Amino acid sequence: MAVGAASPAVGHAAAGAGGEAAPAEGVPGIGVEAKGKGKAVLVEGGRRQSPSKGMGRRRKRTRKTRRRCMRMRRRGNEDEGEKWLGQYSSTQSILLVGDGNFSFSLALATAFGSGANLVATSLDTYEALRKKYSGADSNIMNLKRLGATVFHGIDVKTMKFHTDLKNRRFDRIVYNFPHAGFKGKEYEAHMINLHKKLVKGYFDNARHLLRPCGEIHVSHKTGGSYDKWDLECIAAKFSLILVEKVGFRKADYPGYDQKRGDGPMCNKSFPLGTCSTFKFKIRDLKKRKGQNWKRTGLVLSLGGSTRPSLNALGAPGGIPPPMGGITSTTLLTPQGHPWYEQRIIAEPLGGTTDYFFSQEYQGSLWREYAMLRQVMPGATSWNYSAFLENRYRESVQKQERLRRLIAYSCQ
């Protein structure tokens, strides 16, 4: 197949008639027609192909190619030793909490061919597990045979202090279907609060055992009263953000048999219904703090930068100077106490206003405001002017209370 490149002056016709060889019979010609400066339109089989259509097709091909590469990479990793089951890989260090009869942990260890990277825990003691679940004993034996670490009596609300866990860090920490016990109906407010308290304890402890780029997983039912647990809101209180929510399918974990875990029917399975795995990561606090700082529109620098001046802002509108309307010092002055009269003369009523807008107090207020924004980002929506206004009001009220107290005590 011959390929001809046409010059801008001659055009497309030169590809078949000019100095270059014409395409062979029955073979479509492929040429490039220059158009404008450096822009070309691909011509295929005598038809022009618009750039927009070409880009759309290219994007689709790119997505398909990317997915194909990911599948091939995963297969290659499996061939090299990495194995996957559901959301989890054999190369990840995984902590499984509240596993009940340990069937989920065994499903992972069996699929990986090894449990060397697994730490499986239960709230119950070993003796209690044997009484509760018919297959727990054999599951534990198989886990240990595959090299997994098994702990009993681990409470998710205090596990960060456990001797065998406090110095370890994990890529994944997994809690499937947390439940605070059967102490009422699932839709009752006190039951929802008990469940939320359990999840709070889990998040608070799990974040201390997580590696910097690790994930905290919670598999949870969705819909109805289960949505009232509000996992995302609870996680946010512990600097955790939701990065992904995927459907949970029991079929992805062969051998997994969920148990009720409490009550006379503890060895019975419960219906999963619609459920998902919520994946959380630790929020980048440094990045978030920087964003909040930029949001305030304030720049705090050590060397000669400009910053809002209290003198420039002046007294906040609508607030009179402290005691400024009092022209006589006898209003609150107890009669017959010269020491108090001398104090009033030494510190006139307008002195508080002058000190408030002095350079010394200016700096202390600015430092207080900057520290407040760093320590409690987002806790207040004040800008600097509103902050000054509030502090001014507090100063007025404090001065008023102090002077009334002195006047009363001297009577």
Side-chain angles (χ1 to χ4, degrees):
M1 179 175 66
V3 179
S7 66
V10 178
H12 180 61
E20 297 292 334
E25 186 177 356
V27 179
I30 300 178
V32 177
E33 179 185 358
K35 189 176 182 181
K37 290 186 178 181
K39 296 182 179 179
V41 178
L42 180 65
V43 179
E44 186 174 348
R47 295 176 59 189
R48 294 186 180 185
Q49 184 179 0
S50 65
S52 59
K53 290 183 180 178
M55 287 297 292
R57 290 174 185 171
R58 234 173 277 137
R59 288 194 190 100
K60 289 181 181 178
R61 288 178 190 144
T62 303
R63 292 193 196 102
K64 290 180 180 178
T65 303
R66 192 182 298 118
R67 293 193 194 104
R68 192 182 304 116
C69 289
M70 289 177 66
R71 287 196 296 268
M72 291 176 64
R73 191 180 301 120
R74 179 171 289 191
R75 288 174 190 158
N77 290 336
E78 290 178 356
D79 294 339
E80 294 173 4
E82 182 181 9
K83 297 180 180 179
W84 286 82
L85 183 67
Q87 307 294 324
Y88 308 104
S89 163
S90 60
T91 60
Q92 296 168 348
S93 177
I94 305 174
L95 171 64
L96 303 116
V97 301
D99 197 12
N101 64 350
F102 290 93
S103 59
F104 188 83
S105 301
L106 184 59
L108 293 180
T110 303
F112 298 160
S114 170
N117 288 335
L118 300 181
V119 177
T121 70
S122 68
L123 175 63
D124 297 308
T125 62
Y126 178 69
E127 291 75 15
L129 285 173
R130 296 185 63 182
K131 294 178 182 178
K132 279 186 173 184
Y133 311 114
S134 56
D137 198 12
S138 62
N139 290 343
I140 293 170
M141 288 177 58
N142 288 327
L143 274 172
K144 291 182 177 179
R145 180 177 56 82
L146 289 168
T149 303
V150 180
F151 294 128
H152 305 289
I154 304 295
D155 189 344
V156 297
K157 294 181 289 187
T158 58
M159 62 183 178
K160 65 182 179 182
F161 302 111
H162 193 273
T163 306
D164 298 307
L165 295 177
K166 64 182 181 181
N167 293 324
R168 299 188 63 169
R169 297 297 179 266
F170 300 91
D171 298 309
R172 300 289 185 271
I173 301 179
V174 184
Y175 196 178
N176 290 329
F177 307 102
H179 201 277
F182 298 94
K183 301 173 184 178
K185 302 295 184 180
E186 292 297 326
Y187 57 82
E188 294 177 353
H190 77 279
M191 278 302 303
I192 294 174
N193 290 332
L194 286 175
H195 295 321
K196 292 173 75 172
K197 185 177 180 180
L198 173 63
V199 175
K200 285 179 183 177
Y202 168 63
F203 284 142
D204 184 27
N205 281 259
R207 64 174 181 159
H208 291 282
L209 304 176
L210 194 67
R211 285 179 177 169
C213 296
E215 294 178 0
I216 297 174
H217 290 189
V218 180
S219 295
H220 179 55
K221 289 187 176 185
T222 54
S225 59
Y226 297 102
D227 289 341
K228 295 181 181 179
W229 292 28
D230 203 1
L231 294 180
E232 294 181 52
C233 182
I234 296 174
K237 295 178 181 178
F238 300 99
S239 300
L240 300 172
I241 56 172
L242 181 70
V243 293
E244 190 178 12
K245 177 183 174 183
V246 296
F248 181 90
R249 297 188 305 173
K250 181 179 176 180
D252 291 341
Y253 306 96
Y256 174 49
D257 186 15
Q258 72 280 5
K259 299 294 184 180
R260 291 183 179 272
D262 195 13
M265 301 177 67
C266 60
N267 196 35
K268 299 291 184 180
S269 300
F270 60 90
L272 291 180
T274 304
C275 49
S276 300
T277 298
F278 296 76
K279 303 179 181 180
F280 298 93
K281 278 188 176 182
I282 297 176
R283 182 187 289 112
D284 189 345
L285 294 177
K286 292 182 179 180
K287 182 178 179 180
R288 183 168 179 262
K289 188 181 292 185
Q291 291 173 347
N292 283 323
W293 184 253
K294 288 178 182 178
R295 197 178 296 122
T296 62
L298 302 172
V299 179
L300 182 61
S301 172
L302 294 176
S305 64
T306 58
R307 65 183 184 185
S309 170
L310 289 171
N311 288 326
L313 290 172
I319 302 178
M323 308 296 287
I326 300 177
T327 57
S328 174
T329 58
T330 60
L331 181 63
L332 296 177
T333 305
Q335 301 299 321
H337 292 277
W339 66 269
Y340 185 78
E341 294 175 1
Q342 292 174 2
R343 186 173 183 271
I344 293 295
I345 294 172
E347 297 179 15
L349 293 174
T352 304
T353 308
D354 297 336
Y355 178 73
F356 189 92
F357 290 98
S358 66
Q359 292 293 333
E360 179 183 355
Y361 197 57
Q362 211 180 109
S364 65
L365 279 177
W366 175 260
R367 288 191 295 270
E368 181 184 354
Y369 178 77
M371 185 176 295
L372 179 66
R373 297 298 299 182
Q374 291 181 8
V375 173
M376 294 186 297
T380 175
S381 59
W382 291 341
N383 54 26
Y384 193 52
S385 299
F387 172 79
L388 289 179
E389 185 174 333
N390 184 70
R391 284 292 179 267
Y392 197 98
R393 185 181 294 108
E394 290 177 356
S395 178
V396 171
Q397 294 171 353
K398 185 182 294 184
Q399 188 75 8
E400 177 70 17
R401 287 195 301 268
L402 179 62
R403 297 200 176 190
R404 288 185 182 275
L405 179 63
I406 294 173
Y408 178 81
S409 63
C410 294
Q411 289 179 354

